[in-house]
Amino acid sequence: MTTSLLHWDFPLPRCHTGIPLGNGIQGLLIWGQGATLNITVSRAGFWHHGLREPYQSNATYKEVKRLVEARDEEALKALFVGKAGIGIQARPFQLGGGRLVLSFGGGYQLLRAQLDLPSAAVEVVLENGAGRCRSLYIRQAMDAELAWVEGLEQPDLQPVELKLIPSWDFLEAKLSEIGLKAPERWEGSGVDPKVMAIRGFMQCMPHDDALTVETAWDRTAGCLFVVTALGDKAGRGIADSMISARPLDEVRQATQQWWTNYWLDVPQLDLPTAEAELQQSYQLGLYKQAGMSTPGGVAATLQGPWMEDDAIPPWSNDYHFNINVQLVYGSVLPTNRAAHMAPLWNLVLAWMPALRQKGETFFEAPGAMMLPHAVDDRCNVIGTFWTGTIDHACTAWMAQMAWMHYRYTLDEKVLREIAWPLLVGAFEGYWAMAEVSEDGSLTIPLSVSPEYNGSSLSACGRDASFQLAAFHCIAQIMPRAAMLIGKIADPRWAEVSVKLPPYILEQGERPSDKGSRIGLWVGQDLAESHRHHAHLAGIWPFQTFEPHAEEHWEIVGRTIRHWGKMGAGQWTGWCLPWASIICTRCGLPDAALAWLKWWRHVFTNVGHGTLHDSDFSGAGGGFGWRGLDRPGFVTQAGFHEIMQMDAAMSAVTAILELLVQSRADVITVLTRLPKNWRDFRFERIRTEGAFLVSAEVTRGKVIRIGVTSEKGGLLKLRHAFPGEVHAFREGKIVRSIPATQIPLGEGESTLLEQSIEAGETLEFVPA
């Protein structure tokens, strides 16, 4: 069912519905209606940083704890407010570039568009009143801030009117408040007489690099070029110089080669025929992953390189580390594109001195690191949300992600340079927070569960299950990491594993709520629908306990049932793929699939754009804004829509989790299928241990599992073959493996162990 083409129908009335082109730096969104095609142009890293010298809070964990115990909310919040206070004047944010507007003559109207995935070329089809169609093609270089439109020279599309509108023209009132001036604009001819109709502008910032957006029409090439540049490269003439420096055929060839290599690397899925929408979500997600986390690009933020042209991006298009960055990058490893982690790790490496300074100040502990939940590209805190700033699981989750990078690739450089410092920093912070209770157990006296109860005094408590899971995760990883790089074991790691509870148990208030379930923190049950499934983080992402283990499964069952009763009314887009992964890990594949379908139906728009809030009246907090109180209110400037990339990427992760999971050094493959999945296959999903896993299902039965090892080692494979298994190497049986049934609480599966050499591929089939 894999397709090489994805389709859109016009009208696409807002930039959020646009077809994306991205290379990790330059972002385009293609949208429009009638005779007008719009291309929203943005450039990742175009920041307004506000104050020249950002305020550095001197808050400490002890002081926060004292103020919470004293119920002094005003003083508590004041700890995290800088000299300039709050508001747009003080807040760093990224800003979009502008909008290229193409209006066509000849009676032609926008009809449809399609994206050719192998080449990442967008075809825009126009039709006139006589039914005649004309096509434009839009492409983007993957190694330069350059895109181009082909086909505008067709005579019956003339006259083509072109406008280049800076974001300033939409946002003058807001931007002038913070000291921005109107951009410099120009029109004219290039140095080379073959280039004509140059249009451009340069938007300067008070204290930051300027952005230039320039277009140039090249009559010889028959192309309209779009070029962006930041900082030293900004200024008049950038398009002319870039076009002159490199033949377009060379750019086309390099671009095609980049995409060919990309699609060869990523896993190929052929999902059941009935799952056409899920298949499209997977392929479009892979495409967006390529465009927002491109090696050599800017580390991906909430929206990556795609930003509105008529609004300041929500939440500054910054780095959110209480889940969002992790979801954005979570698909990179199982899709076999570990190189896409490089921009993020380069950023974190540059931040490490600041992370250590923040951690040692806040925790008053040598070696501690602190990564606040929302920061700009300089690691400066954005906003005054104090409960997010002290959420230490942000640091721990990034440390775990670096460890997972090592586990998926066995790249010891990543382990030594990224994972180990973050692991140490996360552990030392948690150890500084921990105290010994009267019964000898460890406790975290003040902790938060992300965003529950906002930033009020009721937003924190003792032993938040989210923080317990994160602390356990770090303590479990550190002995393994230390052994690999020759570090001396620290007895505190084992102490955490023995003395810290895995989660907090809460008793329901009603008589029917029999037994205990996982709570948010001591005395705080999940009392309402909430978008952070943080109390379930021990299941995923931190994987600190196996939900089907005898000591956990009844508690987990009660917790999942209560979670379901609270419902999804306050969830946002990224909540649903996360919920899907949790359900998969609990042996509930049909629930996992249902959440993915609900996400696709409710939290994507007419252009398949992935949203923070619902595009569906009455669900996910969307009730009323679409259809009840604002009938027909669909203008670009007024439409309430928040674009965010984390759900699109975590949907890819969730789809792969339905097929293959890495669980405590065991690769679990198709042990339980959605009930209506009969015939499908997949190839080369990457797992921990640097294995690439493939499988095929016919009539609801697994008939083949293939495993290729990059580095060699012991393969531990949990599968659903009913009895004896034959292992083949190059078509010859190398071993027959008897069945050993392992109960999972979700039926029976079989665990086999097999040594495998580096570069070797083994095929497993039922005897």
Side-chain angles (χ1 to χ4, degrees), residues 91-416:
R91 188 182 77 236
F93 59 83
Q94 291 198 78
L95 183 64
R99 183 185 306 177
L100 176 62
V101 181
L102 301 170
S103 299
F104 303 98
Y108 278 90
Q109 304 272 308
L110 296 168
L111 178 63
R112 64 178 180 271
Q114 61 184 24
L115 169 65
D116 179 64
L117 290 170
S119 64
V122 176
E123 179 186 8
V124 175
V125 180
L126 301 99
E127 183 181 46
N128 67 8
R132 178 178 295 173
C133 292
R134 292 288 181 262
S135 292
L136 308 176
Y137 296 90
I138 307 173
R139 296 197 68 183
Q140 182 183 51
M142 294 305 292
D143 59 358
E145 296 181 49
L146 172 68
W148 64 95
V149 184
E150 301 178 64
L152 293 174
E153 76 283 357
Q154 298 175 80
D156 50 355
L157 291 178
Q158 302 300 319
V160 177
E161 182 183 352
L162 186 150
K163 296 180 182 177
L164 183 60
I165 307 172
S167 287
W168 169 272
D169 289 5
F170 302 107
L171 298 169
E172 180 178 352
K174 289 184 177 180
L175 297 180
S176 60
E177 287 183 26
I178 56 173
L180 269 68
K181 304 296 183 184
E184 177 190 352
R185 310 172 197 237
W186 55 85
E187 291 188 19
S189 299
V191 175
D192 189 327
K194 74 181 181 181
V195 177
M196 59 176 291
I198 286 179
R199 289 174 172 83
F201 65 84
M202 182 169 65
Q203 179 66 65
C204 293
M205 288 290 188
H207 310 300
D208 296 284
D209 288 339
L211 172 70
T212 294
V213 178
E214 192 170 72
T215 65
W217 171 249
D218 186 327
R219 288 183 297 175
T220 301
C223 292
L224 174 67
F225 291 94
V226 182
V227 178
T228 56
L230 192 67
D232 294 340
K233 297 180 181 180
R236 185 191 300 255
I238 59 170
D240 198 11
S241 60
M242 185 173 290
I243 296 167
S244 302
R246 193 177 178 196
L248 184 57
D249 284 345
E250 181 182 319
V251 177
R252 287 193 185 103
Q253 183 177 357
T255 300
Q256 183 60 68
Q257 189 61 57
W258 194 98
W259 282 103
T260 297
N261 294 340
Y262 181 80
W263 292 114
L264 285 173
D265 279 349
V266 296
Q268 302 302 307
L269 272 57
D270 219 345
L271 296 178
T273 303
E275 305 299 349
E277 288 190 343
L278 202 65
Q279 181 83 35
Q280 184 191 60
S281 294
Y282 175 71
Q283 291 177 264
L284 184 56
L286 287 177
Y287 170 78
K288 289 180 177 178
Q289 172 182 276
M292 71 182 302
S293 63
T294 320
V298 176
T301 49
L302 291 170
Q303 298 178 207
W306 300 295
M307 284 172 273
E308 299 87 338
D309 48 35
D310 66 344
I312 294 174
W315 299 292
S316 304
N317 192 17
D318 65 13
Y319 297 96
H320 265 49
F321 287 100
N322 63 352
I323 184 171
N324 311 86
V325 169
Q326 291 87 343
L327 293 186
V328 162
Y329 278 96
S331 61
V332 164
L333 296 173
T335 58
N336 198 31
R337 294 293 293 187
H340 288 240
M341 298 293 297
L344 178 63
W345 295 142
N346 290 339
L347 190 66
V348 171
L349 273 172
W351 286 352
M352 278 194 178
L355 298 179
R356 189 167 289 108
Q357 184 273 326
K358 292 177 190 290
E360 292 182 345
T361 297
F362 184 75
F363 295 112
E364 301 178 279
M369 288 187 181
M370 182 181 183
L371 177 57
H373 90 293
V375 298
D376 65 12
D377 61 334
R378 299 174 180 176
C379 203
N380 296 318
V381 176
I382 293 180
T384 58
F385 190 61
W386 69 270
T387 53
T389 302
I390 70 169
D391 179 0
H392 195 47
C394 298
T395 311
W397 200 339
M398 289 305 295
Q400 185 217 25
M401 178 168 278
W403 166 252
M404 297 304 288
H405 187 161
Y406 165 74
R407 288 290 302 140
Y408 273 74
T409 63
L410 303 184
D411 184 341
E412 191 172 305
K413 183 178 180 182
V414 171
L415 175 60
R416 288 183 179 276

Side-chain angles (χ1 to χ4, degrees), residues 453-490:
N453 290 343
S455 59
S456 68
L457 288 174
S458 62
C460 55
R462 179 178 294 273
D463 289 337
S465 292
F466 186 54
Q467 306 298 334
L468 296 178
F471 197 2
H472 271 290
C473 177
I474 299 304
Q476 290 170 8
I477 291 171
M478 292 200 74
R480 302 178 63 185
M483 183 177 63
L484 289 166
I485 60 176
K487 300 289 184 180
I488 298 173
D490 188 328

